[in-house]
Amino acid sequence: MIRPDLLLKPTPKGLYCPPGDFYIDPVRGAVDRAVVTHGHADHARAGHAHVLATPETLAIMASRYGEGFAGATQPLEYGETVEINGVTVWLSPAGHVLGSAQVVVEWKGLRMVCTGDYKRRRDPTCRAFEPVPGTHVFISEATFGLPVFRHPDSDREIAKLLASVRASPDRTHLVGVYALGKAQRVIKLLREAGYHETLYIHGALEKLCRLYEEHGIDLGPLETATLDTSERGAQERFRGQIVLGPPASFHDRWGRRFPDPLPCFASGWMGVRQRAKQSGVELPLIISDHADWDELTDTVREVDPEELWITHGREDALVRWAELEGRKARPLRLVGYEEDAFE
Ligand SMILES: [Zn+2]
Ligand SMILES: [Zn+2]
C-alpha cells in the first residue's frame, strides 16, 4: 500500500491531493481546483477556479456569493464517481447540513475519507451520514472531541422551548440559530413537535430557508419579522411568538424592539454552562450539527480505519483515545476552520 500522505496531505491552504492536484475545503486564498464538503462559509469559500461539490452545496454557495462564485462548477451526486487526474473521487452523505458530504479519495488501492463536518443524530433536513466501508484512512473532524461533550436528545430541547413559550405567553422567544442548517433544523423539529403556527424569521435566514424548501424540505408557515415602527403597537403582535435569527442580530436594534424578549440559543456550545451565561442566554438549547464525543468515537469504531487523522477541533483528546484503543492516529493541525462560528 502506498503511503497515505502521498495521496492527501495537510498544507497551510488546506488538505491537498498531489496526484489529483486539488484541495478539499481550501481555507486560504483561491485555488485552481477545490472539492467542497458543505456550504458553511469557512469550508466553502468563493473565488476558486473550479469547484466540485454536491448540487445542493453548489446551490448554497450560489445563493450566498452569487452565481459567479467560481470560474466553473461541477455538481456530483452522492455515490457518483469522477476521475481527477487519475484519482477517483466520490461523495457520501455527512448528515451535517443540506448537501453536506464526506469526500472519498481513491488511488492505487488506497481509500481515504474526509468527513468535513458531520453528525450521526437524526436530522429531518438532510441525508443521514453513511459510513464508507473499506476506509484505510479516516479523516474526522473533532469540534466536540472531548468526553465532556455529550449532546442531549434534540427533541427534548425542542420540548423545553415549547414549554417555555406556553409558560411565558407575554414574552417573545428570540431563538438564535445559524443561517445554514441550524435554522432549518430547528424549524423542522418544531413542526414535528406539533407547532404549526407562523414562525417569524430574521431577513438573513430568508434565502436559505427558501432554498431548503426548493429542495423539498417543508418548513411550514414562515414570515419575515420586520418591525414597522410607523405602525403603533406593531411589535405587540410578537408577544407569545417564536422569532428566529442569527445570534448576533438579537443584540442590535432589530432584536431589542421585540416586547419582553426571552433570549434562547440553539448550539452545541450551550452544553457549556459558562458560555450560555456569558452570552446572556436565558434558555440555552443544546442542539448541535456536529458529532459529540460518543458519536465521534462510535463512528471511528464503526468505520474501523487503519489510520485515523483528526482535524479542526479538540484533536489531542481524540488522538489519545485512539491510541488507548490501539489505533494509529494523527492530528493534522489544519488552521482556518472556525469551530464556533457555524456550529
Ligand atoms: Zn459546518
Ligand atoms: Zn467545520
Side-chain angles (χ1 to χ4, degrees):
M1 189 85 66
I2 57 156
R3 266 180 31 226
D5 51 2
L6 293 175
L7 180 53
L8 281 178
K9 63 172 188 183
T11 74
K13 283 187 170 184
L15 210 51
Y16 178 63
C17 175
D21 192 20
F22 62 84
Y23 288 86
I24 298 175
D25 291 353
V27 281
R28 227 180 287 281
V31 303
D32 193 43
R33 193 176 272 274
V35 178
V36 171
T37 60
H38 67 285
H40 280 149
D42 53 335
H43 291 258
R45 292 174 192 263
H48 305 304
H50 186 279
V51 173
L52 179 102
T54 60
E56 295 87 349
T57 294
L58 293 175
I60 289 164
M61 292 176 80
S63 129
R64 290 203 144 159
Y65 302 129
E67 289 294 336
F69 70 88
T73 58
Q74 186 178 358
L76 189 66
E77 300 279 358
Y78 295 125
E80 238 180 78
T81 62
V82 70
E83 297 279 317
I84 307 176
N85 302 317
V87 175
T88 303
V89 175
W90 56 280
L91 305 172
S92 180
H96 177 55
V97 297
L98 180 71
S100 66
Q102 309 172 67
V103 179
V104 188
V105 177
E106 299 171 351
W107 189 59
K108 299 191 174 177
L110 178 69
R111 173 177 281 181
M112 299 180 75
V113 177
C114 177
T115 63
D117 294 338
Y118 76 98
K119 71 171 173 295
R120 304 301 302 270
R121 311 252 168 160
R122 199 183 72 83
D123 181 339
T125 66
C126 67
R127 282 265 300 264
F129 180 98
E130 283 175 28
V132 177
T135 298
H136 298 112
V137 179
F138 188 59
I139 306 167
S140 176
E141 67 133 318
T143 305
F144 288 103
L146 282 179
V148 292
F149 292 121
R150 288 196 160 88
H151 306 320
D153 182 41
S154 307
D155 293 337
R156 205 192 75 187
E157 298 299 287
I158 292 294
K160 260 179 19 191
L161 171 59
L162 290 175
S164 175
V165 171
R166 282 191 299 269
S168 305
D170 293 331
R171 300 186 68 183
T172 310
H173 280 69
L174 296 184
V175 185
V177 285
Y178 294 114
L180 170 58
K182 191 61 60 66
Q184 297 78 23
R185 184 166 171 227
V186 166
I187 291 170
K188 191 75 187 168
L189 290 175
L190 280 165
R191 300 310 186 196
E192 287 186 348
Y195 190 85
H196 299 295
E197 329 243 325
T198 297
L199 285 165
Y200 295 89
I201 58 172
H202 184 277
L205 308 183
E206 258 174 47
K207 273 207 284 189
L208 285 167
C209 284
R210 205 177 316 129
L211 187 145
Y212 268 61
E213 295 225 295
E214 285 162 10
H215 284 82
I217 293 135
D218 180 12
L219 300 176
L222 300 181
E223 211 176 287
T224 306
T226 42
L227 289 167
D228 187 357
T229 43
S230 61
E231 195 189 322
R232 267 184 46 184
Q235 53 268 56
E236 286 305 307
R237 68 191 171 109
F238 292 105
R239 284 194 192 276
Q241 304 298 319
I242 301 175
V243 180
L244 300 105
S249 66
F250 296 151
H251 305 294
D252 62 22
R253 266 182 53 212
W254 179 84
R256 286 200 305 264
R257 279 193 219 152
F258 291 101
D260 204 359
L262 194 158
C264 320
F265 186 16
S267 162
W269 296 111
M270 289 298 101
V272 185
R273 221 164 281 147
Q274 203 53 31
R275 285 218 195 193
K277 253 183 153 171
Q278 279 165 2
S279 52
V281 171
E282 209 172 311
L283 181 64
L285 302 167
I286 311 168
I287 300 177
S288 175
D289 285 330
H290 289 272
D292 69 2
W293 177 256
D294 292 330
E295 291 168 70
L296 290 169
T297 54
D298 288 350
T299 301
V300 171
R301 287 190 182 121
E302 183 179 357
V303 173
D304 197 22
E306 285 168 21
E307 232 177 276
L308 173 66
W309 290 8
I310 298 154
T311 175
H312 69 298
R314 308 296 199 278
E315 303 184 353
D316 298 326
L318 208 53
V319 167
R320 218 166 311 124
W321 167 83
E323 285 168 354
L324 286 172
E325 289 248 315
R327 299 184 178 276
K328 200 169 167 193
R330 165 186 179 193
L332 292 187
R333 314 268 181 235
L334 287 172
V335 289
Y337 301 105
E338 297 156 43
E339 63 162 31
D340 278 27
F342 303 101
E343 195 293 324

